[in-house]
Amino acid sequence: QIVALIDTIATTEQGFLCHTEDWNLAVADELAGQHGIKLTDAHWEILYFARHYYLQYQHLPNMRLFVKAIAKQLGISYRTVE
């Protein structure tokens, strides 16, 4: 479970939200904070990309596709991404 502001939000055993409509900026910040991460603009760019992809295709891309798609969106060669 994630407690964001006054809401309790259901998550899976892996920490994914059970309902996509529960996602918002506060929830993303809370999830990151639980893992000791302070979200930067670079994080948000990736989060928005992943969310858009998921909403369009109803699944997350495999890692290879994900890296290629992010590199394309950012205008860099995926071969330089480490």
Side-chain angles (χ1 to χ4, degrees), residues 3-58:
V3 178
L5 303 177
I6 59 170
D7 296 326
T8 299
I9 298 168
T11 58
T12 67
E13 289 180 17
Q14 296 84 21
F16 293 102
L17 300 180
C18 291
H19 309 285
T20 57
E21 63 272 9
D22 288 339
W23 189 90
N24 62 47
L25 301 178
V27 169
D29 256 342
E30 177 63 28
L31 278 169
Q34 288 179 9
H35 295 282
I37 299 169
K38 172 71 172 126
L39 296 176
T40 65
D41 289 344
H43 290 111
W44 286 112
E45 201 164 2
I46 301 298
L47 287 170
Y48 286 130
F49 176 86
R51 179 160 172 73
H52 176 75
Y53 186 99
Y54 183 83
L55 291 174
Q56 185 173 1
Y57 299 106
Q58 298 301 302

